[in-house]
């Protein structure tokens, strides 16, 4: 190997030695990709398709928003499953601590306790909704990255009629 070729390889190794830790740090702290599996967030994520070659959505998860505690009702978040802590799930925040909401499929109204939130999948038939105190584990889903035909921002909205009152204002209808 010539001296010039050796210098090129050393230069590439130095660049990789710098780029790999920066990439890992960015993915762990700022944002990173996440593969969506399952149908609990249809039609928002992994919409049904007649195309047999259609793949699962890959989304961008903003992790810094969670560290700064910048999340809102309607955000789609990645969090640990309350029943299987080794598995991450994707759900929509319906209510935050102190909110009042109607429990799906029941004639109950519930106040969300301090330190908890209420999360639901957009596809009620395929979603196990719950009170969760994980504080949104991994991050907030902001964009669909793949497939390219679906690339774009993920909407942040609460389904109409789900949230009855925000915080301590009990039984007053919210604009959400």
């Amino acid at each position: 190997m010539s001296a010039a070729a050796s210098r090129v390889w050393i230069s590439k190794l130095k660049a990789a030695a710098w780029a790999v830790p920066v990439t890992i740090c960015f993915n762990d702290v700022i944002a990173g990709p996440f593969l969506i599996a399952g149908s609990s967030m249809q039609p928002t994520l992994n919409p049904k398709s007649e195309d047999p070659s259609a793949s699962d959505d890959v989304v961008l998860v903003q992790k810094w928003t969670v560290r700064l505690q910048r999340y809102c009702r309607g955000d789609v978040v990645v969090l640990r499953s309350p029943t299987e802590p080794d598995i991450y799930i994707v759900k929509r925040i319906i209510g935050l601590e102190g909110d009042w909401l109607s429990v799906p499929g029941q004639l109950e109204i519930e106040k969300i306790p301090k330190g908890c939130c209420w999360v639901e999948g957009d596809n009620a038939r395929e979603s196990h909704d719950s009170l969760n105190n994980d504080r949104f584990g991994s991050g907030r889903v902001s964009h669909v990255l793949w497939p390219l035909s679906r690339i774009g921002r993920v909407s942040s909205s609460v389904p109409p009629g789900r949230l009855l009152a925000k915080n301590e204002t009990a039984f007053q209808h919210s604009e959400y």
Side-chain angles (χ1 to χ4, degrees), residues 38-54:
S39 57
S40 73
M41 284 301 295
Q42 288 177 344
T44 305
L45 302 172
N46 286 351
K48 291 181 181 175
S49 174
E50 300 300 320
D51 181 4
S53 66

Side-chain angles (χ1 to χ4, degrees), residues 91-146:
K91 301 290 179 184
R92 186 175 302 277
I93 299 172
I94 301 300
L96 300 171
E97 64 183 43
D99 289 349
W100 291 84
L101 59 90
S102 59
V103 178
Q106 299 177 20
L107 297 174
E108 279 184 46
I109 296 174
E110 188 168 317
K111 182 178 181 183
I112 301 171
K114 186 171 176 63
C116 296
C117 65
W118 187 270
V119 294
E120 295 180 2
D122 288 355
N123 182 355
R125 287 188 297 248
E126 297 292 326
S127 181
H128 302 285
D129 306 327
S130 68
L131 191 62
N132 193 294
N133 60 4
D134 182 43
R135 301 308 273 174
F136 322 122
S138 188
R140 182 172 57 91
V141 175
S142 65
H143 292 81
V144 174
L145 302 175
W146 186 263

Side-chain angles (χ1 to χ4, degrees), residues 9-68:
W9 276 105
I10 289 171
S11 173
K12 288 181 180 184
L13 285 173
K14 284 181 181 178
W18 179 85
V20 169
V22 169
T23 302
I24 290 170
C25 182
F26 184 87
N27 188 49
D28 286 349
V29 177
I30 307 296
F34 187 84
L35 177 66
I36 303 296
S39 57
S40 73
M41 284 301 295
Q42 288 177 344
T44 305
L45 302 172
N46 286 351
K48 291 181 181 175
S49 174
E50 300 300 320
D51 181 4
S53 66
S55 63
D56 290 340
D57 287 353
V58 175
V59 297
L60 179 65
V61 177
Q62 295 179 348
K63 298 172 183 180
W64 57 271
T65 55
V66 172
R67 284 180 170 70
L68 297 174

